[in-house]
Amino acid sequence: MNPVLVLGGGPAGLSAAAELASLGAPVLLVEKEEYWGGNPRRWHYSLLAPDLLPAEEVLNPLVSRVEGAPLIERHLRTTVSRVEPLSSGFRVELKGPETSGWREVSSVVLATGFDHFDSRRKYEYGYGRYPDVIDFKEFEGMIHDDRLTRPSDGALPKRIAWLLCVGSRDVQVGNPWCCRMGCAVSIKQAVEVRQKHPEIDTYVYYMDIRTYGLWEDLYWKSMNEYGVKFIRGRIGQITQAEGGKRLLATGEDTILSRPTEVPFDMIVLASGMEPGTGTKEAAQLFGLPVGPEGFLTPKLSDLNPVESGHPGIFLAGAATGPKAIPDAVTEGMGAALRAYKHARG
Amino acid sequence: MLSAHQIREIVAERDARRRGTGKKVVDVREEMERLEEKGELIIHRIRPENAPVNVETLFGWTKRIPTSRLWHHKSCGQCGNIPGYPSALLWMMNALGKSYLNEPHQTSCTAWNYHGTATSNPVALAAVAARNFHRAYETDHFPLIHCGTSYGDYKEMRKLLVENAEVRHKVREILRKMGRDLVLPEEIVHYSEWVHAMRPEILARRTHDVSGVVATVHEPCHYYKMIPEDAVYDPEILGGQRPAVPTGILLALGARVADYSTWYDCCGFGFRHILSEREFSRSFANLRKIRPMIEEAHSDVAITSDTGCVTTLDKSQWIARAHGEALALPVLADVQFAALAMGAHPYKIVQVHWHAAPVDRLLEKMGIDGRAAKAEFVEYLAALKRGATPETLYPPRDEIEKYFAVNKGQVLPEEPASAASGALVAAVGRALK
Amino acid sequence: MSVVAHLPHRTPTLTDTEAAHPPALELTGRRPLTAEERRTAETIFGEFRADGRYREYVLGCLNCGECTTGCPAARFYDFSPREMLQIAAVGDATTLWDAMQEKIWACCQCYTCNMRCRFGNDIAGIISVMRELSVRHGLESTRRVLAPFNRSLTLLMTVGTQVASDMIQPDFFRDWGPFAAAGEKSWDADPHLLRQAIPIDVLQTTTSSWEVSVQTSLELFRIYEEAGVLDMLRGLDPDLTEMLIDIIEERREEFEEARTRYHSQLAAMHGPVATFSG
């Protein structure tokens, strides 16, 4: 039996590879970066919402399952450059430091993931201009490494704001969809800040809070246990105040129905999720359709969200849309099962 | 800070996404070509004689800025109460050897009135725009729009005329009744874009050192908030994140441009408010703009590039004295500041006496002897009173042009065979029998 | 025709009776509308929803408030673009009527809301549509708001410029005037002389921003007539409208006289010429 190609080594890809190996199928696991774990590892995610479990406790077992499986042939810094269909399965050309050349695979799991929105595209927030305007993926690393200081002067901030939906739900930047994670992750970050530094004042600017399902608990606790403050209404622009010492967030408090201007030491932007570069490349490479948002589209998103509609190609994780880690892991398992069935013929 | 290359990538991404999903942003210039092919309109094209310079817009699109053989689309507010604005521009064109036509056969865009009182409608606004465009076309001079509101309004009208067949039809009918055709210029160009394109030439003729000047910029809303995709941005200026005009010319001249917290705010003009609810305009201008410009940015001058903004920011400071506040920040248009740096006469050309906020200290900082200039001007006024002939930037036109939209020989197109000159003959023919 | 039938993107669910009397939010202390006002309010509501621009400008709202963030009027008036959009999107005839009495005139038309709106609404545009309706229906409140504009409307309609330097008078727009910076003593500067000292021929006038040729102003008026602006203005101020027509009639006569006067000169310059139909 030819191996199953798993493209992408994030939570979905790792989960699919481990699952396939446990079924006894050989796996060819390919990741373009030099590490396993995808975006969570790339940005050093701190605690994961909603249970505030350290990211390592989720990622490490996934990675060690893969690394401990003899049936999985793993390649980092490797990409697929060409694909040719076979009567059953595919020929794929790999390019990487350890392996290059054509390989035959029985089926494919695309777990190519997402990219965070580049907040510089929302000009009025001054990201890239003002050092204390921070993207929340960078803020993850800051709290993970316990360096909660202002980039501009190294001081501990006194007041921090989170601004949700940056690059999500916004036609001005062409991204009208919801990222699903921004609310929970931002609230979680505010909680983490308050846990370590109760003296820091934390505000979340939102238009809707979408801590969906059981995650709502986090939202409630952030208020009644950690004193995170919520302002309904968005910050429309960020400028410098006090001679550049602080940031000035101008917004509307839509509950009080009045414009607000609040100086902050740091403002954290909850950047949205866009189809990853790998996802866009995979769509081209395998000739798969993408939706208006640019994500891969399952043939039957309700009945069979892991099937691409093209025989032998299966989809998992954020390649098909914004997704939480547990969902990505689950889809990895589902795609593994389908790919295994296809490989067995 | 990001590199220009990174900015370009971000801009391309923003363009691709916005054009691809949600709110469709189409380049109307492409649609204009299709309509011209179908015979629905005529595009007034930029020609080699217009010596165009390429710039980039918010979406990374290329915009061509014609720099010569221009038709001055004057601003009613500038000409009415800050005349140093157009005269500095015309003076600069003379100084840089750029040709132009400035004539009485133009109306304003009438959008000040529309945005203030709504006593008009889109068909009338579009027809007014198209009438002016056609007049520029038949003189074979490319329109250069002096006012930010005219610029924004004309871009809206261009879009409306291109996208709405019903309005296009109505406007064409109206124009035909006065013997005119539907003409849209290839680009809608604001004078500050011309100034921006002329930075090297202006810098080469700089006579005063302005490096000691701290300027704050007020970006005119109708320059970059109406049809934003067409406003000029430059990866090298303000990180490509704010419009390149009028900041670019200030930086090129060597002035320091300071940031302040209310940068994005409007000036408080309000179209209606500036005339009939002045307490609003005055309060807004002083509290939200002038004060932060002085207190946060310690600026010597506020620079902007629109009629309403100069008017509001400048003429609202005076009243603050009633509240015991001595606000005194000179407010100039970019072209006035650049003309001063090039040695233009502060009174005879830049007409600073029409500005309410005193400019004496600024002139001093620029190394200009304002007192001597004022004495010369007072002398000039006395001479005029004695019956001297007024000095003008171009020979005054004949009496006949008070009535008829004719062209005198000196502005006729050089090539008698061109389509545009044919239109001109038709225009003369239409006007008279 | 039922009002409901004009509602875009919505399946008619109300009965005609309900549509004719949509549920109005009567605020405490608010004077109820007279029967005539109610009729006008309902007509306006119907025209508002039927206007082609409505569908294009009013798309939906997430109530994020970014529009209000940058709104100058929201800082000084009981006004917010977010509220205006909500009224446009879900308001009934009475709510719309209320907003048209005063609120619509607070807007500065700066377009900051439009630039910010993540839903892509044209809020400044929909406010303009409301304003146009209030002018066309000659609302009493609109007459009051626009009363100070007779002078600039006259200028605008007859020569197509909004202001003139002779509006700067010692008791009126004094702070716009030349030498205001130097203090009151300098205010004796003769405006005619100062205009002569502007080095551009067409600016050497005090009665308009620049001299507009008669042909051009006749063409402009033709546009106003053809595009229905004159009819619209008649609803607001019939006397002003008649006056404008008189002024234009005089200009037309002036034009004819000049044509006779210059005929031979122009024929010599340009050869035989056709008639201007303005």
Side-chain angles (χ1 to χ4, degrees):
Chain A
M1 175 180 174
N2 284 331
V4 177
L5 171 70
V6 176
L7 195 54
L14 292 172
S15 159
E19 206 60 27
L20 280 158
S22 75
L23 291 165
V27 179
L28 183 58
L29 177 62
V30 170
E31 164 61 48
K32 65 180 162 68
E33 303 295 344
E34 56 191 15
Y35 47 82
W36 303 112
N39 274 311
R41 173 60 50 82
R42 178 178 183 192
W43 298 106
H44 302 280
Y45 285 4
S46 177
L47 304 181
L48 297 180
D51 298 331
L52 307 188
L53 210 60
E56 287 84 354
E57 290 185 24
V58 176
L59 292 179
N60 290 352
L62 274 173
V63 175
S64 48
R65 271 180 76 193
V66 163
E67 286 179 339
L71 277 171
I72 305 178
E73 180 188 337
R74 304 176 305 273
H75 296 292
L76 290 169
R77 297 194 300 278
T78 303
T79 53
V80 175
S81 52
R82 277 187 290 178
V83 180
E84 282 172 8
L86 298 173
S87 58
S88 168
F90 306 87
R91 278 180 83 219
V92 296
E93 189 189 32
L94 300 186
K95 277 199 174 153
E98 299 157 0
T99 180
S100 280
W102 289 93
R103 299 284 300 270
E104 285 191 10
V105 297
S106 55
S107 56
V108 178
V109 174
L110 297 178
T112 42
F114 74 96
D115 282 344
H116 282 287
F117 172 79
D118 186 340
S119 297
R120 285 174 279 234
R121 271 161 50 208
K122 276 304 271 186
Y123 294 165
E124 290 114 312
Y125 297 148
Y127 177 73
R129 267 178 78 78
Y130 304 136
D132 297 332
V133 178
I134 294 160
D135 196 292
F136 82 155
K137 59 183 185 279
E138 293 154 5
F139 196 76
E140 276 296 309
M142 290 172 74
I143 38 182
H144 179 270
D145 304 344
D146 205 11
R147 47 180 170 89
L148 193 60
T149 49
R150 299 193 341 146
S152 62
D153 61 1
L156 189 74
K158 293 188 187 71
R159 193 188 288 149
I160 308 178
W162 278 261
L163 175 58
L164 306 185
C165 305
V166 175
S168 301
R169 309 173 69 200
D170 183 353
V171 295
Q172 295 286 0
V173 295
N175 293 2
W177 62 89
C178 164
C179 82
R180 297 177 78 185
M181 295 303 112
C183 295
V185 173
S186 301
I187 293 168
K188 180 226 57 159
Q189 290 182 348
V191 166
E192 278 190 85
V193 167
R194 295 281 294 177
Q195 273 178 339
K196 285 178 188 157
H197 299 280
E199 72 278 17
I200 296 178
D201 228 357
T202 53
Y203 292 82
V204 176
Y205 286 82
Y206 70 100
M207 48 184 171
D208 299 293
I209 293 288
R210 294 181 170 176
T211 43
Y212 57 92
L214 304 183
W215 294 31
E216 183 74 0
D217 185 47
L218 179 67
Y219 176 28
W220 287 41
K221 277 193 181 135
S222 73
M223 288 188 272
N224 67 18
E225 288 181 22
Y226 296 97
V228 176
K229 293 168 199 162
F230 286 81
I231 297 176
R232 185 178 171 284
R234 296 188 55 77
I235 295 170
Q237 66 188 42
I238 296 171
T239 51
Q240 279 183 312
E242 299 171 25
K245 288 193 188 73
R246 296 181 108 185
L247 299 163
L248 190 68
T250 311
E252 188 201 351
D253 185 323
T254 58
I255 288 175
L256 300 179
S257 280
R258 65 183 182 212
T260 62
E261 271 176 2
V262 185
F264 284 100
D265 298 299
M266 279 168 105
I267 297 175
V268 185
L269 307 179
S271 55
M273 285 162 107
E274 292 186 332
T277 327
T279 295
K280 287 187 249 180
E281 285 164 4
Q284 288 249 309
L285 202 58
F286 289 89
L288 294 176
V290 292
E293 299 88 359
F295 290 99
L296 292 169
T297 44
K299 188 156 183 259
L300 294 166
S301 54
D302 293 333
L303 278 174
N304 191 348
V306 299
E307 221 151 274
S308 72
H310 191 294
I313 304 177
F314 304 91
L315 312 172
T320 58
K323 225 148 277 175
I325 292 175
D327 301 333
V329 169
T330 309
E331 283 189 359
M333 293 171 179
L337 197 59
R338 291 289 172 148
Y340 177 73
K341 268 179 69 182
H342 185 266
R344 287 281 301 264
Chain B
M1 205 42 136
L2 301 166
S3 71
H5 175 70
Q6 283 173 306
I7 296 282
R8 282 210 173 82
E9 277 182 356
I10 291 162
V11 165
E13 176 72 12
R14 180 170 173 151
D15 173 28
R17 288 225 155 263
R18 247 181 93 165
R19 286 223 253 182
T21 52
K23 191 183 180 185
K24 290 257 189 267
V25 179
V26 291
D27 191 340
V28 286
R29 296 173 302 182
E30 291 164 11
E31 198 57 38
M32 271 161 58
E33 297 283 343
R34 280 189 280 278
L35 286 172
E36 190 184 40
E37 267 173 40
K38 285 198 256 169
E40 290 235 21
L41 51 81
I42 300 166
I43 299 177
H44 184 170
R45 292 185 188 277
I46 296 166
R47 299 196 290 132
E49 301 89 289
N50 300 119
V53 171
N54 285 358
V55 294
E56 276 179 44
T57 72
L58 175 67
F59 283 10
W61 303 350
T62 298
K63 182 169 183 177
R64 298 208 295 157
I65 308 299
T67 62
S68 194
R69 208 178 165 75
L70 299 164
W71 189 77
H72 284 293
H73 183 288
K74 295 177 287 297
S75 148
C76 57
Q78 285 171 25
C79 294
N81 55 71
I82 34 175
Y85 206 137
S87 69
L89 181 60
L90 266 59
W91 177 87
M92 191 179 281
M93 291 201 170
N94 286 353
L96 302 180
K98 299 295 180 184
S99 73
Y100 59 82
L101 180 57
N102 181 39
E103 51 169 27
H105 315 305
Q106 177 222 328
T107 67
S108 81
C109 63
T110 70
W112 179 348
N113 177 63
Y114 180 68
H115 291 301
T117 69
T119 50
S120 189
N121 60 51
V123 171
L125 285 169
V128 166
R131 199 212 70 86
N132 281 328
F133 289 153
H134 183 266
R135 175 59 193 166
Y137 175 73
E138 67 184 0
T139 67
D140 194 23
H141 280 64
F142 203 86
L144 183 73
I145 320 291
H146 290 197
C147 171
T149 289
S150 303
Y151 171 80
D153 171 63
Y154 283 176
K155 287 199 282 187
E156 281 199 327
M157 292 309 127
R158 173 175 67 171
K159 193 168 186 302
L160 182 70
L161 285 165
V162 166
E163 291 178 354
N164 189 317
E166 193 189 337
V167 172
R168 189 165 65 240
H169 178 74
K170 276 187 192 161
V171 168
R172 210 170 32 221
E173 288 301 300
I174 294 173
L175 290 170
R176 286 208 174 128
K177 284 181 182 164
M178 53 185 79
R180 296 190 183 275
D181 266 327
L182 180 55
V183 173
L184 291 179
E186 183 183 323
E187 302 278 10
I188 306 277
V189 186
H190 191 234
Y191 86 86
S192 68
E193 295 172 340
W194 178 86
V195 173
H196 186 70
M198 298 309 292
R199 280 172 298 160
E201 286 86 344
I202 293 171
L203 181 60
R205 286 166 182 76
R206 187 185 64 188
T207 54
H208 291 86
D209 178 11
V210 298
S211 59
V213 175
V214 179
T216 34
V217 166
H218 168 70
E219 193 68 39
C221 293
H222 286 190
Y223 178 75
Y224 76 119
K225 293 172 182 171
M226 285 169 108
I227 318 284
E229 61 271 19
D230 185 69
V232 173
Y233 285 68
D234 184 331
E236 309 282 355
I237 296 167
L238 299 171
Q241 302 205 346
R242 292 182 188 175
V245 299
T247 301
I249 183 63
L250 302 174
L251 296 175
L253 285 168
R256 210 162 73 72
V257 180
D259 201 1
Y260 61 102
S261 62
T262 52
W263 191 92
Y264 290 101
D265 272 10
C266 91
C267 61
F269 184 70
F271 299 87
R272 187 181 72 81
H273 308 67
I274 190 70
L275 294 174
S276 68
E277 228 162 290
R278 300 197 58 204
E279 61 277 32
F280 166 80
S281 292
R282 287 161 159 168
S283 308
F284 195 88
N286 283 323
L287 297 174
R288 297 289 302 179
K289 298 301 285 197
I290 299 298
R291 237 202 227 166
M293 283 169 161
I294 294 174
E295 290 172 6
E296 292 175 24
H298 308 289
S299 96
D300 300 312
V301 60
I303 299 290
T304 182
S305 49
D306 171 63
T307 312
C309 313
V310 176
T311 304
T312 314
L313 296 178
D314 177 56
K315 294 168 196 321
S316 297
Q317 295 178 41
W318 192 77
I319 200 76
R321 288 191 293 186
H323 293 273
E325 283 206 48
L327 295 175
L329 181 65
V331 181
L332 294 175
D334 52 353
V335 70
Q336 289 178 296
F337 183 79
L340 286 172
M342 284 171 68
H345 195 287
Y347 290 86
K348 285 167 127 181
I349 300 299
V350 184
Q351 302 266 320
V352 292
H353 48 286
W354 289 84
H355 294 242
V359 296
D360 307 336
R361 270 180 26 213
L362 173 70
L363 294 180
E364 201 178 306
K365 226 168 185 171
M366 295 173 81
I368 297 167
D369 189 345
R371 211 170 283 177
K374 190 167 187 175
E376 281 166 23
F377 184 64
V378 169
E379 187 56 36
Y380 175 55
L381 285 179
L384 284 179
K385 204 161 195 168
R386 289 193 301 269
T389 310
E391 296 168 16
T392 51
L393 289 162
Y394 56 84
R397 57 184 33 71
D398 291 341
E399 183 77 8
I400 189 169
E401 288 210 57
K402 285 196 159 99
Y403 304 95
F404 308 109
V406 295
N407 275 92
K408 296 183 299 177
Q410 82 276 13
V411 293
L412 283 169
E414 281 112 37
E415 309 85 341
S418 83
S421 68
L424 181 68
V425 171
V428 173
R430 192 180 49 249
L432 310 149
K433 186 167 188 176
Chain C
M1 178 71 127
S2 144
V3 172
V4 175
H6 292 294
L7 302 187
H9 303 308
R10 295 176 182 84
T11 317
T13 51
L14 301 178
T15 65
D16 278 1
T17 333
E18 280 169 321
H21 301 282
L25 180 70
E26 300 280 353
L27 299 175
T28 318
R30 183 191 169 290
R31 177 179 67 81
L33 301 188
T34 64
E36 196 196 333
E37 284 170 339
R38 180 165 293 282
R39 261 198 309 279
T40 313
E42 277 158 15
T43 310
I44 289 175
F45 184 74
E47 288 176 15
F48 179 60
R49 289 295 178 93
D51 192 298
R53 289 171 285 179
Y54 181 86
R55 282 177 78 141
E56 218 178 296
Y57 294 175
V58 181
L59 307 175
C61 180
L62 304 174
N63 277 291
C64 75
E66 279 192 63
C67 50
T68 306
T69 294
C71 176
R75 293 184 180 274
F76 287 83
Y77 299 94
D78 176 18
F79 172 87
S80 96
R82 190 170 56 85
E83 183 194 11
M84 296 310 284
L85 190 85
Q86 185 74 358
I87 290 167
V90 303
D92 51 45
T94 318
T95 320
L96 183 68
W97 170 272
D98 283 347
M100 282 170 64
Q101 301 310 308
E102 209 172 287
K103 288 203 175 190
I104 51 169
W105 298 106
C107 167
C108 290
Q109 292 280 301
C110 68
Y111 280 56
T112 311
C113 49
N114 286 16
M115 184 182 72
R116 295 268 164 83
C117 179
R118 44 178 56 222
F119 217 106
N121 295 301
D122 185 345
I123 309 169
I126 203 66
I127 289 172
S128 284
V129 175
M130 293 184 200
R131 285 177 172 188
E132 279 179 38
L133 281 167
S134 80
V135 171
R136 212 180 306 138
H137 287 272
L139 299 192
E140 192 47 46
S141 55
T142 304
R143 285 206 184 102
R144 269 201 309 275
V145 169
L146 299 187
F149 284 83
N150 272 8
R151 166 89 170 98
S152 70
L153 269 177
T154 307
L155 264 176
L156 188 100
M157 301 297 287
T158 55
V159 293
T161 74
Q162 175 90 16
V163 289
S165 62
D166 65 2
M167 76 179 218
I168 303 167
Q169 302 282 344
D171 322 328
F172 206 56
F173 289 97
R174 168 205 202 122
D175 48 346
W176 283 33
F179 294 131
E184 316 215 346
K185 276 182 207 148
S186 302
W187 180 255
D188 53 1
D190 171 11
H192 293 276
L193 195 63
L194 287 170
R195 293 299 290 191
Q196 260 198 305
I198 300 167
I200 299 174
D201 59 351
V202 292
L203 264 61
Q204 291 167 352
T205 170
T206 56
T207 54
S208 172
S209 302
W210 64 83
E211 278 187 274
V212 174
S213 67
V214 181
Q215 182 188 330
T216 303
S217 69
L218 294 179
E219 289 185 0
L220 175 75
F221 206 74
R222 184 82 186 248
I223 291 174
Y224 288 142
E225 284 172 327
E226 299 282 342
V229 174
L230 223 52
D231 294 334
M232 185 187 196
L233 207 56
R234 215 173 251 123
L236 185 76
D237 191 338
D239 295 341
L240 176 72
T241 313
E242 289 315 310
M243 190 187 83
L244 293 173
I245 291 169
D246 289 347
I247 293 173
I248 286 300
E249 200 40 56
E250 279 170 31
R251 294 219 93 188
R252 197 167 273 139
E253 282 165 22
E254 197 186 345
F255 185 78
E256 294 298 330
E257 279 167 27
R259 192 161 62 178
T260 317
R261 200 160 68 241
Y262 282 105
H263 188 270
S264 51
Q265 187 187 333
L266 282 161
M269 269 171 71
H270 302 288
V273 287
T275 314
F276 169 64
S277 59

